[in-house]
């Protein structure tokens, strides 16, 4: 697939002194199986002004040993160790130690295209000083980096709080680039979610809080490989459901313009997301349970043909071709299908135009 829009070129090394330093924050817990590949994808960025901070969150495997060996060969990489306090606290620890003007979180099992940071820094400069978050598109990958699906080609920019509340167009923690000053002003990721037993949506929560005050921008290219693992936090659906509710409630309390209808749509979309996660795990009954919570009705109707197709593939065990994600050039697009399995961007577009004409949604 050819990247949409002009390809963003990485800055020349000679300009390094004038470039903002980007601090890449990797929170890692028992990530020995993937941490080397993840760190190498960060260190391979074409953008020359980076530091990589790996926060070992109390791992009991060889994660720290692997990072220590990598750091000995590349001074841009640093290891920080702390007791097991959770992913939000680990990211906040890295943010506190960071020296960069910009922050880029990266989960310890995900991958970046070489041009990811360069493209986002360039877009941030174009978007202006009131933009504090730049996202991109991503691909879902399995344990062997085979492509499972790709993100919808979202093009939401500007004042995007309500869109981002309805559906998380930033996707996952490894996607955004932030202005560090804004993240510090917001006191980073909310570790309280873990303390309250509803962790899982900390990355979405931070993106929403940034979007409350600032504009967002995007790069129209697949630049992140987001790994789906059966033991990951995102598969703990009941905890994720509580986490979404806590995040949405806190945002709604501060923003009276967010209607009850918007909150219902957000809840219904998240139920559909959890149905997809359960389906991917092979738990069809649980997928149906979450699918029945999908609201509004038009959304369930709109996605039903695509879900029926996936069910038929599952029933008849039709094997899909799954190319391995390859960090080729500035994007992962050549390894991704042209379209996502469910084209949420097209499904939502017409309905958003309808909502925007209603006074209660303005």
């Amino acid at each position: 697939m050819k990247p949409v829009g002009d390809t963003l070129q990485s800055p020349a090394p000679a300009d390094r002194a004038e470039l903002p330093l980007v601090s890449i924050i990797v929170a890692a817990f028992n990530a020995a199986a993937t941490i080397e590949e993840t760190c190498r994808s960060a260190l391979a960025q074409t953008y020359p002004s980076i530091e990589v901070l790996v926060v070992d969150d109390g791992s009991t495997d060889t994660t720290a040993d692997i990072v220590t060996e990598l750091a000995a060969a590349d001074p841009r990489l640093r290891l920080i160790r702390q007791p097991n306090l959770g992913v939000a606290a680990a990211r906040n620890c890295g943010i506190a130690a960071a020296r960069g003007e910009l922050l880029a979180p990266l989960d310890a099992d995900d991958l970046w295209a070489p041009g990811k940071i360069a493209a986002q820094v360039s877009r941030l400069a174009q978007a202006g000083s009131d933009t504090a978050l730049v996202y991109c598109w991503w691909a879902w990958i399995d344990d062997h980096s085979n492509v499972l699906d790709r993100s919808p080609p979202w093009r939401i920019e500007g004042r995007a709080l309500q869109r981002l509340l309805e559906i998380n167009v930033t996707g996952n923690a490894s996607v955004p680039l932030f202005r560090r000053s804004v993240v510090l002003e917001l006191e980073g990721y909310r570790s309280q979610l873990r303390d309250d037993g509803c962790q899982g949506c900390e990355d979405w929560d931070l993106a929403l809080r940034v979007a409350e005050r600032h504009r967002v921008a995007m790069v129209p290219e697949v630049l992140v490989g987001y790994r789906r693992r059966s033991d990951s936090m995102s598969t703990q659906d009941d905890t994720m459901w509580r986490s979404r509710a806590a995040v949405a409630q806190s945002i709604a309390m501060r923003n009276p313009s967010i209607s009850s209808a918007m909150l219902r749509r957000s809840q219904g979309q998240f139920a559909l997301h959890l149905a997809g996660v359960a389906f991917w795990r092979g738990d069809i009954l649980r997928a149906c349970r979450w699918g029945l919570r999908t609201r509004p009705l038009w959304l369930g109707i709109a996605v039903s043909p695509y879900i029926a197709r996936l069910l038929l593939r599952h029933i008849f065990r039709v094997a899909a071709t799954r190319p391995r994600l390859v960090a080729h050039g500035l994007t992962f697009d050549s390894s991704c299908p042209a379209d996502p399995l469910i084209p949420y961007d097209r499904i939502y577009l017409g309905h958003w135009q309808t909502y925007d004409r209603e006074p209660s949604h303005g």
Side-chain angles (χ1 to χ4, degrees):
M1 173 181 172
K2 185 178 179 179
V4 178
D6 295 334
T7 301
L8 297 170
Q9 300 297 324
S10 59
D15 299 329
R16 183 189 302 260
E18 301 175 9
L19 297 173
L21 177 67
V22 177
S23 297
I24 299 168
I25 310 298
V26 183
F29 174 70
N30 287 349
T34 58
I35 189 65
E36 180 175 354
E37 188 178 17
T38 295
C39 287
R40 290 192 184 281
S41 82
L43 294 168
Q45 290 300 296
T46 59
Y47 185 81
S49 184
I50 63 169
E51 63 172 359
V52 181
L53 286 74
V54 178
V55 181
D56 180 16
D57 188 39
S59 295
T60 57
D61 63 2
T62 59
T63 296
D65 296 333
I66 294 170
V67 176
T68 297
E69 184 174 348
L70 290 171
D74 195 323
R76 297 175 299 169
L77 178 62
R78 283 191 282 159
L79 173 66
I80 302 171
R81 306 187 74 171
Q82 68 170 30
N84 182 243
L85 299 174
V87 64
R91 289 178 187 149
N92 288 339
C93 177
I95 291 168
R99 297 180 292 110
E101 179 182 334
L102 305 175
L103 296 173
L106 172 61
D107 280 351
D109 55 358
D110 292 345
L111 302 175
W112 281 350
K116 194 259 189 187
I117 295 299
Q120 289 182 303
V121 171
S122 177
R123 181 70 188 102
L124 185 66
Q126 294 168 0
S129 60
D130 191 37
T131 297
L133 184 163
V134 178
Y135 68 98
C136 61
W137 302 336
W138 66 94
W140 280 280
I141 58 176
D142 64 13
D143 288 337
H144 305 290
S145 299
N146 297 314
V147 176
L148 302 172
D149 194 6
R150 62 165 292 150
S151 69
W154 299 112
R155 293 181 177 274
I156 305 302
E157 294 194 297
R159 295 292 177 179
L161 175 62
Q162 299 214 16
R163 295 286 185 263
L164 186 54
L165 178 60
E166 187 167 358
I167 185 167
N168 184 10
V169 300
T170 63
N172 57 79
S174 299
V175 165
L177 177 78
F178 297 105
R179 292 193 189 275
R180 181 168 177 257
S181 59
V182 172
V183 173
L184 291 175
E185 180 183 331
L186 295 172
E187 299 182 348
Y189 294 87
R190 275 209 295 157
S191 57
Q192 185 65 38
L193 290 172
R194 181 178 189 255
D195 298 339
D196 292 341
C198 55
Q199 67 270 33
C201 290
E202 289 89 346
D203 54 307
W204 184 42
D205 172 74
L206 179 58
L208 284 166
R209 288 186 286 127
V210 171
E212 278 187 274
R213 305 184 185 190
H214 299 275
R215 300 172 69 86
V216 305
M218 55 81 65
V219 174
E221 297 181 40
V222 176
L223 298 172
V224 175
Y226 176 60
R227 202 177 301 275
R228 275 184 170 172
R229 301 175 64 183
S230 59
D231 60 347
S232 69
M233 175 65 68
S234 63
T235 63
Q236 300 174 22
D237 46 10
D238 288 324
T239 302
M240 292 291 290
W241 184 254
R242 293 195 302 272
S243 188
R244 186 221 67 85
V247 168
Q249 182 180 23
S250 66
I251 293 292
M253 288 177 62
R254 294 193 300 272
N255 295 273
S257 64
I258 294 175
S259 67
S260 57
M262 167 65 73
L263 292 174
R264 287 194 298 270
R265 295 202 302 273
S266 174
Q267 178 176 280
Q269 167 59 38
F270 201 78
L272 189 58
H273 162 73
L274 292 177
V277 173
F279 179 85
W280 168 76
R281 285 204 313 268
D283 191 340
I284 304 302
L285 289 178
R286 202 164 184 83
C288 291
R289 168 197 161 186
W290 288 113
L292 290 173
R293 296 192 186 189
T294 300
R295 298 291 185 278
L297 182 60
W298 66 257
L299 179 58
I301 294 172
V303 302
S304 58
Y306 304 98
I307 293 174
R309 185 184 306 166
L310 292 173
L311 282 171
L312 288 172
R313 287 181 181 175
H314 176 79
I315 292 170
F316 293 103
R317 302 183 183 278
V318 177
T321 302
R322 293 177 176 175
R324 193 172 188 277
L325 197 70
V326 177
H328 176 70
L330 288 178
T331 73
F332 287 157
D333 281 287
S334 59
S335 299
C336 293
D339 297 299
L341 293 175
I342 301 179
Y344 284 113
D345 57 311
R346 298 201 303 268
I347 289 170
Y348 268 94
L349 183 59
H351 291 278
W352 277 337
Q353 291 171 348
T354 299
Y355 295 142
D356 288 345
R357 288 195 294 268
E358 298 174 2
S360 61
H361 299 284

